[in-house]
Coordinates of all heavy atoms in Angstrom, one line a residue:
Chain W
M1 N -223.0 150.0 -4.9 CA -223.7 150.8 -5.9 C -224.5 151.8 -5.1 O -225.4 151.5 -4.5 CB -224.6 149.9 -6.7 CG -223.8 148.9 -7.6 SD -224.0 149.4 -9.4 CE -225.2 148.3 -10.0
E136 N -216.6 158.0 -34.4 CA -216.3 157.5 -35.7 C -216.9 158.3 -36.8 O -217.3 157.8 -37.9 CB -216.7 156.0 -35.8 CG -216.0 155.1 -34.8 CD -216.6 153.7 -34.7 OE1 -217.4 153.3 -35.6 OE2 -216.3 153.1 -33.6
A185 N -226.2 148.2 -35.0 CA -225.1 147.4 -34.2 C -223.9 148.3 -33.9 O -223.4 148.3 -32.8 CB -224.6 146.2 -35.0
R186 N -223.6 149.1 -34.9 CA -222.5 150.1 -34.7 C -222.8 151.1 -33.7 O -222.0 151.4 -32.8 CB -222.1 150.8 -36.1 CG -220.9 151.6 -36.0 CD -220.6 152.1 -37.5 NE -219.4 152.8 -37.5 CZ -219.0 153.5 -38.5 NH1 -219.8 153.5 -39.7 NH2 -217.9 154.2 -38.6
D189 N -222.9 149.4 -30.2 CA -221.6 149.2 -29.7 C -220.9 150.4 -29.2 O -220.3 150.4 -28.2 CB -220.8 148.4 -30.9 CG -219.3 148.0 -30.5 OD1 -219.2 147.7 -29.3 OD2 -218.5 148.1 -31.3
L190 N -221.1 151.5 -29.9 CA -220.5 152.8 -29.5 C -221.1 153.2 -28.2 O -220.4 153.6 -27.3 CB -220.8 153.8 -30.6 CG -220.2 155.2 -30.5 CD1 -218.7 155.0 -31.0 CD2 -220.9 156.1 -31.5
R192 N -222.4 151.5 -25.9 CA -221.9 150.5 -24.9 C -220.5 150.9 -24.4 O -220.2 151.0 -23.2 CB -222.0 149.1 -25.5 CG -221.7 148.1 -24.4 CD -221.8 146.7 -25.1 NE -221.1 145.7 -24.2 CZ -219.8 145.5 -24.3 NH1 -219.1 146.2 -25.1 NH2 -219.2 144.6 -23.5
N193 N -219.6 151.1 -25.4 CA -218.3 151.4 -25.0 C -218.2 152.7 -24.3 O -217.5 152.9 -23.3 CB -217.4 151.5 -26.3 CG -217.1 150.2 -26.8 OD1 -217.0 149.2 -26.1 ND2 -216.8 150.1 -28.1
R213 N -230.6 143.4 -23.8 CA -229.8 142.3 -23.6 C -228.4 142.8 -23.7 O -227.5 142.5 -22.9 CB -230.1 141.2 -24.6 CG -229.1 140.1 -24.6 CD -229.3 139.0 -23.7 NE -230.4 138.1 -24.1 CZ -230.8 137.1 -23.2 NH1 -230.2 136.8 -22.2 NH2 -231.8 136.4 -23.6
L214 N -228.0 143.6 -24.8 CA -226.7 143.9 -25.1 C -226.1 145.1 -24.1 O -225.0 145.1 -23.7 CB -226.8 144.6 -26.5 CG -225.4 144.5 -27.2 CD1 -224.9 143.1 -27.3 CD2 -225.5 145.2 -28.5
D217 N -227.9 146.4 -17.4 CA -227.6 145.6 -16.3 C -229.0 145.1 -15.8 O -229.2 143.9 -15.5 CB -227.1 146.4 -15.1 CG -225.7 147.0 -15.4 OD1 -224.9 146.2 -16.0 OD2 -225.5 148.2 -15.3
R218 N -230.0 146.0 -15.7 CA -231.3 145.7 -15.2 C -232.4 146.1 -16.2 O -232.0 147.0 -17.0 CB -231.6 146.4 -13.9 CG -231.0 145.6 -12.6 CD -231.7 146.2 -11.4 NE -231.5 147.6 -11.3 CZ -232.5 148.5 -11.0 NH1 -233.7 148.1 -10.8 NH2 -232.1 149.8 -10.9
E229 N -242.8 143.8 -14.4 CA -241.7 142.9 -14.0 C -240.5 143.6 -14.1 O -240.3 144.6 -14.9 CB -241.7 141.8 -15.0 CG -240.6 140.7 -14.6 CD -240.9 139.3 -15.3 OE1 -242.0 139.2 -16.0 OE2 -240.0 138.4 -15.1
H230 N -239.5 143.3 -13.2 CA -238.2 143.9 -13.1 C -237.2 143.0 -12.6 O -237.5 142.0 -11.9 CB -238.2 145.3 -12.3 CG -238.5 145.0 -10.9 ND1 -237.5 144.8 -10.0 CD2 -239.7 145.0 -10.3 CE1 -238.1 144.5 -8.7 NE2 -239.3 144.7 -8.9
G231 N -236.0 143.1 -12.9 CA -234.9 142.2 -12.5 C -233.6 142.4 -13.4 O -233.6 143.3 -14.2
L232 N -232.7 141.5 -13.1 CA -231.5 141.6 -13.9 C -231.9 141.3 -15.3 O -232.8 140.6 -15.5 CB -230.5 140.4 -13.5 CG -229.7 140.8 -12.2 CD1 -228.9 139.5 -11.8 CD2 -228.7 141.9 -12.5
D234 N -230.8 139.5 -17.8 CA -230.8 138.1 -18.2 C -231.9 137.3 -17.5 O -232.5 136.4 -18.1 CB -229.5 137.4 -18.1 CG -229.0 137.4 -16.6 OD1 -228.5 138.4 -16.1 OD2 -229.2 136.3 -16.1
Q235 N -232.3 137.7 -16.3 CA -233.4 137.1 -15.6 C -234.7 137.4 -16.3 O -235.5 136.4 -16.6 CB -233.5 137.5 -14.1 CG -232.4 137.1 -13.3 CD -232.5 137.8 -11.8 OE1 -233.1 138.8 -11.7 NE2 -231.8 137.1 -10.9
V236 N -234.9 138.7 -16.6 CA -236.2 139.0 -17.2 C -236.4 138.3 -18.6 O -237.5 137.9 -19.0 CB -236.3 140.5 -17.3 CG1 -237.5 141.0 -18.1 CG2 -236.3 141.1 -15.9
D238 N -234.6 135.6 -19.9 CA -234.5 134.1 -19.9 C -235.5 133.4 -19.0 O -235.8 132.3 -19.2 CB -233.1 133.7 -19.5 CG -232.0 134.2 -20.5 OD1 -232.4 134.4 -21.6 OD2 -230.8 134.2 -20.0
D239 N -236.0 134.2 -18.1 CA -236.9 133.6 -17.1 C -238.1 134.6 -16.9 O -238.4 135.0 -15.8 CB -236.2 133.3 -15.8 CG -237.1 132.6 -14.7 OD1 -238.2 132.1 -15.2 OD2 -236.8 132.6 -13.6
P240 N -238.8 135.0 -18.0 CA -239.9 136.0 -17.9 C -241.0 135.4 -17.1 O -241.4 134.2 -17.3 CB -240.2 136.3 -19.3 CG -239.9 135.0 -20.1 CD -238.6 134.4 -19.4
Q241 N -241.5 136.1 -16.1 CA -242.6 135.6 -15.3 C -244.0 136.1 -15.5 O -245.0 135.4 -15.4 CB -242.2 135.6 -13.8 CG -240.8 135.0 -13.7 CD -240.3 134.7 -12.3 OE1 -241.0 135.2 -11.3 NE2 -239.5 133.8 -12.0
H242 N -244.1 137.3 -15.9 CA -245.3 138.0 -16.1 C -245.9 137.5 -17.5 O -245.1 137.5 -18.4 CB -245.2 139.5 -16.0 CG -246.5 140.2 -16.0 ND1 -247.2 140.6 -17.2 CD2 -247.3 140.6 -15.0 CE1 -248.2 141.3 -16.9 NE2 -248.4 141.3 -15.5
P243 N -247.1 137.4 -17.6 CA -247.7 137.0 -19.0 C -247.2 137.9 -20.1 O -246.9 137.5 -21.2 CB -249.3 137.0 -18.8 CG -249.4 136.9 -17.3 CD -248.2 137.4 -16.6
Q246 N -243.7 137.3 -21.0 CA -243.6 136.1 -21.7 C -244.0 136.3 -23.2 O -243.3 135.8 -24.1 CB -244.4 135.0 -21.1 CG -243.8 134.5 -19.8 CD -244.6 133.4 -19.1 OE1 -245.5 132.8 -19.7 NE2 -244.1 132.9 -18.0
L247 N -245.0 137.1 -23.4 CA -245.5 137.4 -24.8 C -244.4 138.1 -25.5 O -244.0 137.9 -26.6 CB -246.8 138.2 -24.7 CG -247.3 138.7 -26.0 CD1 -247.8 137.4 -26.8 CD2 -248.5 139.6 -25.9
S250 N -241.4 135.9 -26.3 CA -241.7 134.9 -27.3 C -242.0 135.4 -28.7 O -242.1 134.7 -29.7 CB -243.0 134.0 -26.8 OG -244.1 134.8 -26.9
Chain R
K18 N -238.1 125.0 -8.5 CA -238.4 126.1 -9.7 C -239.5 125.5 -10.6 O -239.4 124.4 -11.1 CB -237.1 126.3 -10.5 CG -237.3 127.1 -11.8 CD -237.6 128.5 -11.5 CE -237.9 129.3 -12.8 NZ -238.4 130.6 -12.5
F20 N -241.9 126.7 -13.9 CA -242.2 127.6 -14.9 C -243.7 127.6 -15.1 O -244.4 126.6 -15.1 CB -241.6 127.2 -16.2 CG -240.2 127.5 -16.3 CD1 -239.2 126.5 -16.5 CD2 -239.7 128.8 -16.3 CE1 -237.9 126.9 -16.6 CE2 -238.4 129.2 -16.5 CZ -237.4 128.2 -16.6
V21 N -244.4 128.7 -15.2 CA -245.7 128.9 -15.5 C -245.8 129.5 -16.9 O -245.5 130.7 -17.0 CB -246.5 129.7 -14.4 CG1 -248.0 129.8 -14.7 CG2 -246.3 129.2 -13.0
L22 N -246.3 128.8 -17.8 CA -246.3 129.3 -19.2 C -247.7 129.8 -19.5 O -248.6 129.1 -19.8 CB -245.9 128.2 -20.2 CG -244.6 127.3 -19.9 CD1 -244.5 126.3 -20.9 CD2 -243.4 128.4 -19.8
H23 N -247.7 131.2 -19.3 CA -249.1 131.8 -19.5 C -249.6 131.8 -20.9 O -250.8 131.8 -21.1 CB -248.9 133.3 -19.1 CG -248.6 133.4 -17.5 ND1 -249.6 133.2 -16.6 CD2 -247.4 133.7 -16.9 CE1 -249.0 133.4 -15.4 NE2 -247.7 133.7 -15.5
L24 N -248.7 131.6 -21.9 CA -249.1 131.6 -23.3 C -249.7 130.2 -23.6 O -250.3 130.0 -24.6 CB -248.0 132.1 -24.2 CG -247.4 133.4 -24.0 CD1 -246.3 133.7 -25.0 CD2 -248.5 134.4 -23.9
R61 N -228.3 127.3 -14.4 CA -228.8 128.6 -14.5 C -229.3 129.2 -13.2 O -229.2 130.4 -12.9 CB -229.9 128.7 -15.6 CG -229.5 128.6 -17.0 CD -230.6 128.4 -18.0 NE -230.2 128.5 -19.3 CZ -230.4 129.5 -20.1 NH1 -230.8 130.6 -19.6 NH2 -229.9 129.4 -21.4
Y64 N -226.3 130.4 -11.2 CA -225.8 131.6 -11.7 C -226.8 132.8 -11.4 O -226.4 134.0 -11.7 CB -225.5 131.5 -13.3 CG -224.7 132.6 -13.9 CD1 -223.4 132.7 -13.4 CD2 -225.2 133.4 -14.9 CE1 -222.6 133.7 -14.0 CE2 -224.4 134.4 -15.4 CZ -223.1 134.6 -15.0 OH -222.3 135.6 -15.5
G65 N -228.0 132.5 -10.9 CA -228.9 133.6 -10.7 C -229.7 134.0 -12.0 O -230.3 135.1 -12.0
N66 N -229.6 133.2 -13.0 CA -230.3 133.6 -14.3 C -231.7 133.1 -14.2 O -232.7 133.8 -14.5 CB -229.5 132.8 -15.3 CG -230.2 133.0 -16.8 OD1 -230.3 132.0 -17.5 ND2 -230.6 134.2 -17.1
Y67 N -232.0 131.9 -13.6 CA -233.3 131.5 -13.3 C -233.7 131.9 -11.9 O -232.8 131.6 -11.0 CB -233.6 130.0 -13.5 CG -233.7 129.6 -15.0 CD1 -233.8 128.2 -15.2 CD2 -233.8 130.4 -16.0 CE1 -233.9 127.7 -16.5 CE2 -233.8 130.0 -17.3 CZ -233.9 128.7 -17.6 OH -234.0 128.2 -18.8
R68 N -234.8 132.5 -11.6 CA -235.2 132.8 -10.2 C -235.9 131.6 -9.6 O -236.9 131.3 -10.2 CB -236.0 134.1 -10.2 CG -235.2 135.4 -10.8 CD -236.1 136.5 -11.1 NE -236.7 136.4 -12.4 CZ -237.3 137.4 -13.1 NH1 -237.3 138.6 -12.5 NH2 -237.8 137.4 -14.3
I69 N -235.3 131.1 -8.5 CA -236.0 130.0 -7.9 C -237.2 130.3 -7.0 O -237.3 131.4 -6.6 CB -235.0 129.1 -7.2 CG1 -234.3 129.9 -6.1 CG2 -234.0 128.5 -8.1 CD1 -233.5 129.1 -5.1
D70 N -238.0 129.3 -6.8 CA -239.2 129.6 -6.0 C -238.9 129.3 -4.5 O -239.5 130.1 -3.6 CB -240.4 128.7 -6.4 CG -240.8 128.9 -7.9 OD1 -240.8 130.1 -8.3 OD2 -241.0 127.9 -8.5
I85 N -227.6 133.7 -3.6 CA -228.0 134.2 -4.8 C -229.5 134.3 -4.9 O -230.0 135.2 -5.6 CB -227.4 133.3 -5.9 CG1 -225.9 133.4 -6.0 CG2 -228.0 133.6 -7.3 CD1 -225.4 134.8 -6.6
S89 N -229.7 141.0 -4.0 CA -230.2 142.1 -4.8 C -229.4 142.0 -6.2 O -228.4 141.3 -6.4 CB -229.8 143.5 -4.2 OG -228.3 143.7 -4.3
P90 N -230.0 142.5 -7.2 CA -229.4 142.5 -8.5 C -227.9 143.0 -8.5 O -227.1 142.4 -9.1 CB -230.2 143.5 -9.4 CG -231.5 143.5 -8.8 CD -231.4 143.3 -7.3
A91 N -227.6 144.1 -7.7 CA -226.3 144.6 -7.7 C -225.4 143.5 -7.1 O -224.2 143.4 -7.4 CB -226.3 145.9 -6.9
I93 N -225.7 140.2 -7.1 CA -225.5 139.2 -7.9 C -224.5 139.6 -9.0 O -223.6 138.8 -9.4 CB -226.9 138.8 -8.6 CG1 -227.8 138.2 -7.7 CG2 -226.5 137.7 -9.9 CD1 -229.2 137.9 -8.2
L94 N -224.7 140.9 -9.5 CA -223.6 141.3 -10.6 C -222.2 141.3 -10.0 O -221.2 140.9 -10.6 CB -224.0 142.7 -11.0 CG -225.2 142.8 -12.0 CD1 -225.5 144.2 -12.4 CD2 -225.1 141.9 -13.2
R97 N -221.0 137.8 -9.9 CA -220.6 137.3 -11.3 C -219.4 138.0 -11.8 O -218.7 137.5 -12.7 CB -221.7 137.7 -12.3 CG -223.1 136.8 -12.1 CD -224.1 137.3 -13.0 NE -225.4 136.6 -12.9 CZ -226.4 136.9 -13.7 NH1 -226.3 137.8 -14.6 NH2 -227.5 136.2 -13.5
R109 N -222.4 134.3 -27.0 CA -223.2 135.6 -27.1 C -222.2 136.8 -27.0 O -221.7 137.0 -26.0 CB -224.3 135.6 -26.1 CG -225.3 136.8 -26.4 CD -226.4 136.6 -25.4 NE -227.6 136.0 -25.9 CZ -228.5 135.4 -25.2 NH1 -228.2 135.0 -24.0 NH2 -229.5 134.8 -25.8
A110 N -222.1 137.5 -28.1 CA -221.1 138.5 -28.1 C -221.6 139.7 -28.8 O -222.5 139.6 -29.7 CB -219.8 138.2 -28.6
I111 N -221.0 141.0 -28.6 CA -221.2 142.1 -29.4 C -221.0 141.9 -30.9 O -219.8 141.4 -31.1 CB -220.5 143.3 -28.9 CG1 -220.5 143.4 -27.4 CG2 -221.0 144.6 -29.5 CD1 -221.7 143.5 -26.7
P112 N -221.8 142.2 -31.8 CA -221.6 141.8 -33.2 C -220.3 142.2 -33.7 O -219.6 141.6 -34.5 CB -222.8 142.5 -33.9 CG -223.8 142.7 -32.9 CD -223.1 142.8 -31.6
R113 N -219.8 143.5 -33.4 CA -218.6 144.0 -34.0 C -217.3 143.6 -33.4 O -216.2 143.8 -34.0 CB -218.7 145.6 -34.0 CG -219.6 146.2 -35.1 CD -219.1 147.5 -35.5 NE -218.9 148.4 -34.4 CZ -218.2 149.5 -34.4 NH1 -217.8 150.0 -35.6 NH2 -218.1 150.4 -33.4
L114 N -217.4 143.1 -32.2 CA -216.0 142.8 -31.5 C -215.3 141.6 -32.2 O -215.8 140.6 -32.5 CB -216.3 142.5 -30.0 CG -216.6 143.6 -29.1 CD1 -216.6 143.1 -27.6 CD2 -215.7 144.7 -29.2
S122 N -211.7 141.3 -23.2 CA -212.7 142.1 -22.4 C -213.1 141.5 -21.1 O -213.3 142.2 -20.2 CB -213.9 142.5 -23.3 OG -214.6 141.3 -23.6

Side-chain angles (χ1 to χ4, degrees):
Chain W
M1 290 252 257
E136 301 168 16
R186 187 174 182 190
D189 185 28
L190 191 74
R192 184 177 164 279
N193 284 334
R213 167 92 70 183
L214 206 63
D217 301 309
R218 279 192 302 129
E229 182 160 357
H230 62 90
L232 285 172
D234 65 279
Q235 291 175 335
V236 171
D238 295 338
D239 182 16
Q241 306 199 338
H242 190 274
Q246 292 187 356
L247 179 66
S250 69
Chain R
K18 168 69 180 173
F20 282 117
V21 181
L22 308 180
H23 295 286
L24 304 181
R61 284 167 174 264
Y64 194 61
N66 177 224
Y67 284 177
R68 295 168 279 192
I69 57 168
D70 300 316
I85 292 291
S89 70
I93 295 176
L94 289 179
R97 289 181 184 176
R109 189 176 257 143
I111 317 300
R113 279 210 306 171
L114 283 190
S122 64

